[in-house]
Amino acid sequence: MRSTISSGYTRLPKAHKISATAVLVAAGAAVALAAVPATAAETTGVKTVAQNAGSFGETQQAEIGRAADTALAQAQATAKAKTDAAKADQDRANRSTARAALKPAAKPAAPAPKAYADNLDGWIKESMDILRAKGIPASYEGIKRNVMRESTGNPRAINDWDVNAVNGVPSKGLLQIIDPTFKAYHVEGTSWDIYDPVANITASCAYAADKYGSMDNVNSAY
C-alpha cells in the first residue's frame, strides 16, 4: 500500500477532483457577478424607465393632438353650418323681395266723387268742372248772368210764345236751349234730359263757345 502522504497533502480521488472543480467554477462565477459595477445595472434599469416614459409622453401628445383636431373640425363644421343657414335666410329674403317687386303696384283708390249742392250754385260749379275737363271756355259769372236772364234759375222753365215755340221747338231749361241744339252740342258724361240743370248748362256753353267764343260773350238772346 502507497503512503497517503505525498508532497505535503493527501492525494484526492478523481471523483473528488471533479467536485472541487465544480465548486471553483461556481465560485468564479459568483466573483464575476460581484465584480459587475452596480451603477451599470442601475443605469440599465433607469434607461428602460426613461424609454417607457418617453413612449407614454408621445402617446399622450398624440391623443391631445387628435382631440385638438377633432375640436377644430367640430368648430369649423358649426361655423360653416351657421354661415350656410345665414346665407339661406338671406337668399329667402332676396327671393321674397324680388317677388314683391314683380307684383303689380296696387292701383290707387279712386277719389271720392265730388259733392255738389243741389241748387243753382252747385249746378254751375259741376258744369264748370265738366267744361274745364273738355276744354270749353266759360266763367261762373258769365253762366249765372245768362241763367238769371233766361230762366231766373228755374230748370223747368219753357218758352211757349217766341218764334221757336211757334215752330214747335220751344226753348227749355236754365239757359233756354232748343232740342235740336241741345242734341247737337250735348257734352259726353252728362244727361240726355234737356231739363237736367247740369246737362242744360253744359250743352248751352258748348254752343255759345262755338258761336260766340264763350258764354261770357253772350248778353242777350242767342
Side-chain angles (χ1 to χ4, degrees):
M1 180 175 180
R2 290 185 181 179
S3 173
T4 60
I5 299 174
S6 178
S7 301
Y9 67 91
T10 303
R11 180 175 286 181
L12 296 172
K14 185 176 180 179
H16 290 177
K17 289 180 180 179
I18 292 172
S19 298
T21 301
V23 170
L24 291 174
V25 171
V31 171
L33 287 174
V36 176
T39 55
E42 292 173 356
T43 300
T44 301
V46 171
K47 183 176 181 181
T48 301
V49 172
Q51 289 174 343
N52 291 337
S55 287
F56 178 76
E58 291 174 359
T59 300
Q60 290 293 97
Q61 189 64 33
E63 290 178 356
I64 292 172
R66 284 193 295 272
D69 291 342
T70 300
L72 177 59
Q74 290 175 345
Q76 290 174 338
T78 300
K80 185 178 183 303
K82 289 181 179 179
T83 300
D84 291 345
K87 185 176 182 301
D89 290 342
Q90 186 60 49
D91 288 343
R92 283 193 293 272
N94 291 340
R95 287 193 296 271
S96 296
T97 301
R99 285 194 296 271
L102 292 175
K103 289 182 179 179
K107 293 182 179 180
K114 187 175 180 179
Y116 300 95
D118 188 21
N119 54 31
L120 180 60
D121 178 71
W123 301 332
I124 294 175
K125 288 179 179 177
E126 184 175 355
S127 179
M128 285 189 63
D129 285 342
I130 297 171
L131 292 169
R132 275 192 292 267
K134 302 295 184 179
I136 300 172
S139 70
Y140 182 95
E141 291 75 12
I143 294 172
K144 185 174 183 179
R145 173 169 47 81
N146 281 284
V147 165
M148 295 308 293
R149 185 189 69 252
E150 294 290 336
S151 65
T152 65
N154 178 11
R156 305 299 300 180
I158 184 171
N159 185 323
D160 55 4
W161 55 265
D162 67 2
V163 64
N164 290 322
V166 172
N167 293 329
V169 285
S171 302
K172 302 174 181 178
L174 288 174
L175 283 168
Q176 292 294 284
I177 190 172
I178 61 177
D179 287 315
T181 303
F182 175 80
K183 291 177 182 178
Y185 288 92
H186 174 266
V187 176
E188 184 180 0
T190 63
S191 171
W192 282 95
D193 179 4
I194 194 171
Y195 289 106
D196 179 85
V198 175
N200 188 283
I201 291 172
T202 308
S204 298
C205 287
Y207 167 75
D210 182 45
K211 299 299 182 181
Y212 306 100
S214 170
M215 181 62 76
D216 294 353
N217 299 330
V218 177
N219 295 297
S220 60
Y222 61 107

